[in-house]
Structures are given as structure tokens and as C-alpha cells.
Amino acid sequence: MAAAPAADDVERMEFQLALRRRGISDQAVLRAMDEVPREYFVAPGFTESAYADQALPIACGQTISQPFVVAYMTEKLDLEPQHRVLEIGTGSGYQAAILARLAREVVSIERYRTLVDTARERLKTLGYTNVVIRAGDGMAGAPDLAPFERILVTAAAEEVPEALVAQLAEGGKMVLPVGPRHDAQYIVKLTKQPAGALTREELIAVRFVPLLPGQAREL
Ligand code: SAH
């Protein structure tokens, strides 16, 4: 008889099942969620809850997003292996690692220097070579590296940042939470038509930390 799976195998199976139950069906996204070790990205003291379907605190008063929301936004991006992706809000680097498994290159911008340094170190240790992390104001994007086929924002904006729309390639897609700071926020998916017009879809209700202007003055 086969040995009983170790507790962490059970946990990982439950993690996959929970994502499927909530409607995630893209096999590549599910595989990426299985392959990235979430326990490396949560704050020490929270590793026990790493695979629970909830957001968890990280340094600088920020959060690592809930696994379902990470998988959902990733699925909505319709990533292809040749894509270059811009992520705003590196946080722990977890979402960047997921994106890096599905796209050619990820550029991720974070306003807290401490989070930039930790995420960079983590991704290097885990062997990611296709993620560039920058300290700066993500609302301004990365004009020197644009255009991007895909843009993902992981902090809630009150309005869609225009600079990011400008950096989206023709035919490109952007997924972001939009809404007031303490009220209903929705995941919005924008698609830039070949002629430059945008189509907009409002998806599920979510709660994200706010997208704040400028680079953080504190570390
Ligand atoms: N994607 C992250 C979760 C990020 S939480 C993860 O996988 O862990 C949102 C992050 O956006 C926070 O770290 C916050 O500091 C950052 N942020 C907020 N406004 C920003 C801005 N204007 N530019 C860059 N980062 C920003």
C-alpha cells in the first residue's frame, strides 16, 4: 500500500481543490499555483496559514493577496508564453512568481524599498531569472520598457491610471481592482483594441490595499 501522503501534500491538494471549486479552470494557472511555494512569501509566523484562502500581512503594513484572487486575476489576463507583463505592487513577490511561470518577462514595481529588497532576494533564491523588480511609483508605470502585452495592478485605484493605459500594447489586456478606498472595489478588465479604443468589463467584488501615489518616503 502506498504511504499516506505527507501533511504538506494533503495541504497542496486541498489548495488546488479549493481553487477549482471557486471556478479556476485554466490548467497552466493551476500548475503555476501548485509550483510556487507560497510559504516562502508570507511573513514569518504566518507559514501555518500560507495555503489558507486568505490575504495575510507582510512588512510595511501591506498584504499578500488571497490565493483565489491571485489565481483569478492571473486567469483573466489570458497570458501567453511570449508576453511581457507589467505588475504594479510587488508586495511579497508571490504574484510576480506566478506570472513569471506563465510569461516571458515580468517587470514589477513597488513603492516600499524594504519590500523590493525582500522580494528580489526571494525570487533570486527560488531561481527566477525573468523578473525585474523596481522601486518607484507604479502609477507612472515603466515607460522606458513599454509597451507591455499585459498589465496587472494588485492595489486598488480610484480611477484607472492613464499612464498604464498608454503603456499597454495594442490588443493588450490590463486587470486591476478599481474603487474607493473603503467601499466596493471591482476587478476591471480592460482590452485595448487595435485602433486604441478600450473595452471594459467589470468582474468580481474584491478588497485590496490602496494604490498610493509616489514612492514611499519611509522604508
Ligand atoms: N502582488 C503582491 C500583493 C501586493 S499588496 C503580492 O503578491 O504579494 C499591494 C502592494 O502595492 C503593496 O505592497 C503596496 O506597497 C504597493 N503599492 C501601492 N501603491 C503603489 C504604487 N503607486 N506603486 C507601486 N507599488 C504600490
Side-chain angles (χ1 to χ4, degrees), residues 2-192:
D8 56 327
D9 288 342
V10 171
E11 202 170 41
R12 280 174 54 187
M13 267 187 309
E14 283 171 354
F15 185 64
Q16 287 285 308
L17 274 174
L19 293 173
R20 284 169 192 268
R21 220 178 283 127
R22 294 206 60 183
I24 306 299
S25 61
D26 184 310
Q27 291 304 315
V29 173
L30 287 165
R31 200 176 319 119
M33 296 292 295
D34 186 47
E35 287 168 345
V36 177
R38 188 166 158 94
E39 67 273 21
Y40 281 90
F41 294 86
V42 303
F46 286 93
T47 46
E48 296 272 301
S49 317
Y51 290 90
D53 197 19
Q54 61 191 58
L56 293 170
I58 57 173
C60 307
Q62 304 304 313
T63 54
I64 172 172
S65 311
Q66 178 191 350
F68 165 69
V69 173
V70 171
Y72 182 84
M73 290 176 89
T74 306
E75 191 170 71
K76 291 296 173 192
L77 272 180
D78 304 318
L79 288 168
E80 292 172 21
Q82 75 280 10
H83 284 160
R84 289 177 63 246
V85 187
L86 175 65
E87 181 198 19
I88 308 305
T90 313
S92 67
Y94 178 71
Q95 172 76 72
I98 299 285
L99 297 172
R101 302 198 80 89
L102 299 164
R104 178 158 63 92
E105 191 189 23
V106 179
V107 176
S108 185
I109 306 179
E110 170 57 54
R111 65 192 292 277
Y112 284 100
R113 173 54 73 181
T114 304
L115 295 176
V116 168
D117 292 344
T118 332
R120 230 183 234 154
E121 198 50 43
R122 232 173 232 150
L123 292 174
K124 190 173 159 213
T125 307
L126 291 172
Y128 289 89
T129 53
N130 60 339
V131 184
V132 175
I133 301 179
R134 281 191 174 176
D137 179 8
M139 280 193 186
D144 55 322
L145 300 174
F148 297 93
E149 281 84 26
R150 298 291 185 262
I151 299 180
L152 178 62
V153 185
T154 65
E158 305 219 346
E159 305 284 341
V160 176
E162 277 310 314
L164 299 183
V165 173
Q167 290 168 37
L168 196 58
E170 277 193 7
K173 296 176 187 180
M174 169 150 67
V175 173
L176 76 169
V178 180
R181 205 174 282 191
H182 299 292
D183 204 352
Q185 301 161 356
Y186 287 89
I187 300 287
V188 170
K189 177 174 175 175
L190 301 173
T191 305
K192 201 183 235 186

